Amino acid sequence: MQLLGGLTITGVSLYFLLYSFLVMKKPAEQKRNIKLMKTAGMMERRLDNWLGKNERTSKINQYVSSLLSKSRIRIKGKPLNKYTFYVILTITSLMVGYFSYNTLNNLAAGVMLVITSGYLFFHVLIWDAKHRKRKLKKQAPNFYLTLTNFYEINQDILWALQETVRRIKNPLRTDLQYFLNQLNRPDINIREAVLEAKERLDNKHLRDFLDDLELQIRFGGPFRNTLHQYVEESIEKEVQTMEQSSETSSTTMVTYFLIGIYFVMAIMMKKTQPEAMSLLVTTSAGKIVVVIMICIILAVLYITKEMTDVGDE
């Protein structure tokens, strides 16, 4: 059953991958593409419902969707479809497993490298989401300062926000421009626009600001003191983030340096000492050593990830 489920997910994911290329065709084929989009949406909902029957697969599916929505990887401005992500992950992992098994002649090492390859996809998404979060934190002080300056001119918070968004950089500019576009829609109210914008912002301080901004838009009143408070808090948080980054960056660099040494040594040994490398792939003791080395690399990556995690605050 697990094999059948995996093949089903891979097949449907491949469909979405092909769909992502088909929608880029000429305008004359838009009608067919619309029909394809409807079919893809129906299949995606059915697969979501099927995966939702199991609590664990449902959580994994939601987790991947959350990571992709926070990632900077975009196709025509939209996050990568999770099923497209699944098929890329599956094909790449199987290729890594095939070549590693043929090279190392070690089934256990091949399986572990398949798992490692799959994990690295998630590792890249997590790293990208964290990088985006750090950029939002770094942009926040300048955003609040610019917004405060424009607000001082005529006490119009929406005008000040529009002028500020034109002058800031991505990723914050994209998210706030989306918020402004939602406010201009006649079929959506302020609360809905705020909630949608908060889902896109992976920063608690900015999400709190949107709540205060909603109250300001609804009821008016002086907003100067609130803006100054956000300026002070964001600068303080940015200083804390810089201190934390300086403490963890050295750990990350050392980790990747040590892992790089592993691969460099393996390449050098293969060229200069082929007899020693032959022992690693032909003898039982050598195969055990290879598995232990992979376990050490995975353990180091996991520990480094835990040490360098950056919280929401």
Side-chain angles (χ1 to χ4, degrees):
M1 288 298 294
Q2 291 182 349
L3 178 60
L4 179 61
L7 291 174
T8 302
I9 293 175
T10 303
V12 175
S13 300
L14 183 59
Y15 173 84
F16 281 102
L17 180 62
L18 294 173
Y19 154 75
S20 65
F21 290 106
L22 288 174
V23 296
M24 300 175 66
K25 294 193 176 229
K26 298 178 180 179
E29 301 179 357
Q30 284 183 352
K31 186 175 181 180
R32 188 178 66 180
N33 289 339
I34 291 173
K35 184 178 180 180
L36 183 62
M37 289 171 62
K38 291 180 179 179
T39 305
M42 181 180 65
M43 292 184 65
E44 184 172 0
R45 287 191 296 271
R46 288 182 177 178
L47 193 56
D48 284 342
N49 293 333
W50 181 65
L51 293 174
K53 294 178 180 179
N54 183 281
E55 183 178 356
R56 187 171 184 179
T57 56
S58 178
K59 287 183 178 179
I60 293 174
N61 211 29
Q62 293 175 5
Y63 179 63
V64 172
S65 297
S66 176
L67 285 177
L68 289 171
S69 67
K70 297 172 183 176
S71 171
R72 293 171 296 168
I73 302 172
R74 293 287 187 271
I75 297 178
K76 293 187 175 182
K78 296 181 179 180
L80 183 68
N81 184 278
K82 56 180 176 290
Y83 294 111
T84 303
F85 171 77
Y86 291 151
V87 73
I88 295 173
L89 182 151
T90 301
I91 293 174
T92 304
S93 298
L94 291 176
M95 289 177 62
V96 168
Y98 175 77
F99 288 112
S100 60
Y101 174 72
N102 287 340
T103 302
L104 300 174
N105 191 28
N106 190 331
L107 179 60
V111 172
M112 293 185 68
L113 287 173
V114 168
I115 297 173
T116 304
S117 175
Y119 167 75
L120 287 176
F121 275 86
F122 289 95
H123 184 76
V124 169
L125 286 182
I126 293 170
W127 176 86
D128 190 57
K130 288 181 180 179
H131 181 72
R132 185 176 182 274
K133 182 187 294 185
R134 294 189 186 102
K135 289 198 72 174
L136 288 175
K137 273 188 179 181
K138 188 175 182 179
Q139 287 182 286
N142 180 62
F143 163 69
Y144 292 129
L145 282 169
T146 307
L147 182 63
T148 301
N149 291 335
F150 278 112
Y151 180 75
E152 296 282 2
I153 297 175
N154 63 3
Q155 311 298 306
D156 185 341
I157 190 60
L158 282 178
W159 176 83
L161 183 60
Q162 291 172 351
E163 293 299 320
T164 302
V165 168
R166 294 173 184 170
R167 289 164 175 79
I168 59 177
K169 298 180 180 180
N170 290 327
L172 185 55
R173 178 178 181 176
T174 301
D175 293 331
L176 291 179
Q177 186 61 59
Y178 174 83
F179 171 66
L180 289 172
N181 294 339
Q182 293 297 91
L183 285 179
N184 293 327
R185 286 176 51 186
D187 59 334
I188 192 171
N189 58 46
I190 296 175
R191 187 58 188 164
E192 290 175 343
V194 169
L195 290 176
E196 289 189 19
K198 287 172 68 176
E199 290 180 359
R200 298 167 65 96
L201 286 170
D202 193 19
N203 183 287
K204 184 179 183 301
H205 203 243
L206 288 166
R207 292 197 297 267
D208 291 342
F209 168 76
L210 288 179
D211 287 329
D212 288 337
L213 180 63
E214 178 188 358
L215 296 177
Q216 172 66 17
I217 295 173
R218 286 180 180 274
F219 306 109
F223 201 51
R224 182 174 180 274
N225 292 336
T226 303
L227 286 175
H228 280 287
Q229 181 180 350
Y230 275 104
V231 170
E232 294 174 1
E233 291 177 356
S234 63
I235 292 175
E236 182 180 348
K237 289 180 181 295
E238 173 59 16
V239 171
Q240 294 174 355
T241 301
M242 291 177 64
E243 292 175 351
Q244 185 180 24
S245 297
S246 63
E247 294 173 357
T248 59
S249 59
S250 57
T251 303
T252 305
M253 289 296 294
V254 170
T255 300
Y256 291 132
F257 177 75
L258 292 176
I259 292 175
I261 289 178
Y262 265 115
F263 292 103
V264 171
M265 289 180 60
I267 295 172
M268 292 180 64
M269 284 184 63
K270 187 175 181 180
K271 291 184 177 181
T272 60
Q273 298 181 358
E275 299 83 4
M277 286 297 295
S278 178
L279 294 176
L280 293 177
V281 299
T282 57
T283 65
S284 299
K287 293 179 180 180
I288 293 174
V289 170
V290 171
V291 171
I292 291 174
M293 290 173 64
I294 296 173
C295 290
I296 292 173
I297 292 175
L298 288 174
V300 170
L301 285 172
Y302 177 78
I303 293 172
T304 303
K305 171 184 171 297
E306 294 297 313
M307 291 178 62
T308 57
D309 271 346
V310 178
D312 290 334
E313 295 298 325

